[in-house]
Amino acid sequence: MISPLAYVDSAAKIGKNVTIQPFAFIEGNVEIGDDCIIMSGAKILHGTRMGKGNKVHHNAILGAEPQDFHYTGEESLLVIGEHNDIRENVVISRATHAESATRIGNENYLMDGVHLCHDVQIGNHCVLGIKTTVAGECRIDDNTILSSNVILHQCCHIGSWVLIQAGCRIAKDVPPYVIMNGNPAEYHGINAAVLQHKHQATERVLRHIVNAYRLVYQGNFSVQDALQKIEDQVPMSDEIHNIINFIRNSKGIVK
């Protein structure tokens, strides 16, 4: 159902069974998939591509022009997957350049006032807390939680199954499975409860993850030496490989 009080550009492509409430604003060059709900006051702007089953709450703005001095008006995109819940006052910008896109995966929950800047990449099943701000070109892997008022500086990479607690400011990469807390942010253990109940990690694997990060964060080693010791001392699993590969490919982790 599309309210006659909503503005929907004739060039917008609207799927089946889409609800658009009064005073929503849908520009042209927009695609909205089946079964989406666009609430009053939400704005879906030029260049937004949205899959099915998304819910966009009041006053959210999707596809805003990037706040980047390199932006010159190019036809860039915001690509959103399926079954995301985008709460009130969220702002998500398009990418800076035409060949790029800001991308949001599936089944993410973005709480009130979240701001995602240009070229951000978010995986699946993530939660971003109230007023969290993610600067341009950041990447957030699957199943990660950013609590309220977290700030990610530009180009950070946050690994999978990470918990960043409220108010943290993150200026470097955060490897998978850890908890970050405080300002300056620091390692606060592994995200064991979530890993055990959602990722179904065994006690044995959890011990190995703990031992790997003990070498990285609590041993008196360089990062490269710590990685070598992990390979030598910690039994391999998919999780340990993920830790090693993430840190090895990072330009610098929160330490």
Side-chain angles (χ1 to χ4, degrees), residues 23-249:
F23 312 115
F25 180 86
I26 315 294
E27 285 192 328
N29 190 24
V30 163
E31 297 178 10
I32 298 176
D34 299 346
D35 303 312
C36 288
I37 299 173
I38 313 299
M39 295 188 182
S40 299
K43 298 175 176 63
I44 315 297
L45 304 181
H46 182 88
T48 300
R49 307 285 184 265
M50 188 185 305
K52 66 182 181 180
N54 294 290
K55 183 182 289 187
V56 182
H57 290 253
H58 308 283
N59 301 316
I61 301 174
L62 308 185
E65 289 192 353
Q67 298 179 43
D68 182 353
F69 292 122
H70 298 99
Y71 177 65
T72 58
E74 298 178 54
E75 297 287 328
S76 59
L77 297 176
L78 164 62
V79 179
I80 298 173
E82 300 179 353
H83 302 292
N84 295 284
D85 199 348
I86 300 172
R87 295 303 304 259
E88 297 82 359
N89 305 302
V90 169
V91 177
I92 308 177
S93 296
R94 292 185 281 116
T96 296
H97 300 297
E99 67 275 10
S100 301
T102 301
R103 293 185 183 274
I104 314 297
N106 303 322
E107 299 185 33
N108 297 290
Y109 189 54
L110 278 55
M111 295 186 185
D112 175 71
V114 166
H115 191 157
L116 306 181
C117 294
H118 64 91
D119 297 281
V120 165
Q121 311 289 309
I122 295 181
N124 306 311
H125 310 289
C126 294
V127 177
L128 276 64
I130 293 169
K131 303 295 184 185
T132 283
T133 301
V134 180
E137 301 179 54
C138 287
R139 175 180 166 189
I140 301 173
D141 291 342
D142 296 348
N143 302 293
T144 280
I145 300 172
L146 276 58
S147 299
S148 300
N149 293 297
V150 169
I151 297 174
L152 298 190
H153 290 252
Q154 190 169 11
C155 300
C156 291
H157 181 188
I158 310 301
S160 56
W161 300 99
V162 163
L163 169 60
I164 299 179
Q165 295 188 336
C168 285
R169 293 173 292 176
I170 304 293
K172 293 184 178 181
D173 297 346
V174 177
Y177 316 124
V178 305
I179 297 172
M180 287 285 162
N181 187 28
N183 274 311
E186 60 183 6
Y187 174 71
H188 198 68
I190 71 165
N191 196 10
V194 173
L195 285 170
Q196 195 166 31
H197 291 100
K198 298 293 186 180
H199 185 53
Q200 297 182 336
T202 65
E203 290 288 349
R204 179 174 177 272
V205 168
L206 291 176
R207 285 198 305 272
H208 295 164
I209 295 172
V210 168
N211 289 337
Y213 281 122
R214 185 177 292 119
L215 292 167
V216 172
Y217 284 106
Q218 296 166 329
N220 190 23
F221 312 115
S222 69
V223 171
Q224 292 306 314
D225 286 346
L227 292 180
Q228 186 60 56
K229 288 184 178 295
I230 292 171
E231 291 180 325
D232 293 341
Q233 299 177 17
V234 180
M236 280 296 142
S237 63
D238 290 343
E239 291 80 7
I240 301 303
H241 278 297
N242 195 16
I243 292 168
I244 292 170
N245 290 336
F246 184 101
I247 296 174
R248 186 163 282 150
N249 293 324

Side-chain angles (χ1 to χ4, degrees), residues 13-26:
K13 297 180 180 179
I14 309 298
K16 299 176 182 177
N17 195 36
V18 171
T19 298
I20 301 178
Q21 294 182 355
F23 312 115
F25 180 86
I26 315 294

